[in-house]
Amino acid sequence: VQDLLYVHGLDISKKESFSSLKGLNIEDLDTEESIAKMKEAFSFASSLGVSGYPAMVLELGGEWYRLLNGYAPYEPISERLDSILDQVR
């Protein structure tokens, strides 16, 4: 998805932008089941504090942790990961 947005400059709010993805039938995006799954995924991400892209989350032992929300260089990500690992040890 990021490649479609950042490399090709496509509007990823339009389903036609996904037509080049192999194995994806864009008509399947309009089914009630697909819409419900997308809403559930966005709701879950929001519950983790994710409000944009890129975002990185970590699952450890059934618990979820937000590592970053937006671009960050390696060092802050590494520090956040170390902090989370210290908490769960």
Side-chain angles (χ1 to χ4, degrees):
V1 173
Q2 290 184 11
D3 187 62
L4 296 174
L5 176 63
Y6 297 115
V7 175
H8 300 287
L10 297 175
D11 181 352
I12 60 170
S13 69
K14 299 185 183 325
K15 70 178 182 178
E16 294 77 21
S17 297
F18 296 89
S19 63
S20 65
L21 295 177
K22 292 182 181 178
L24 176 67
N25 178 353
I26 62 172
E27 298 307 316
D28 290 343
L29 298 176
D30 285 332
T31 66
E32 287 183 30
E33 180 182 6
S34 292
I35 291 168
K37 285 181 179 180
M38 285 185 269
K39 286 181 179 180
E40 181 180 329
F42 278 102
S43 178
F44 177 68
S46 180
S47 75
L48 297 174
V50 173
S51 62
Y53 296 95
M56 185 181 293
V57 296
L58 171 69
E59 185 268 329
L60 286 172
E63 296 292 323
W64 289 86
Y65 305 88
R66 181 174 40 88
L67 290 173
L68 71 95
N69 197 23
Y71 171 78
Y74 172 78
E75 194 62 36
I77 298 169
S78 177
E79 290 171 4
R80 174 77 174 130
L81 178 59
D82 289 341
S83 173
I84 291 168
L85 293 175
D86 287 344
Q87 290 176 26
V88 298
R89 290 183 191 154

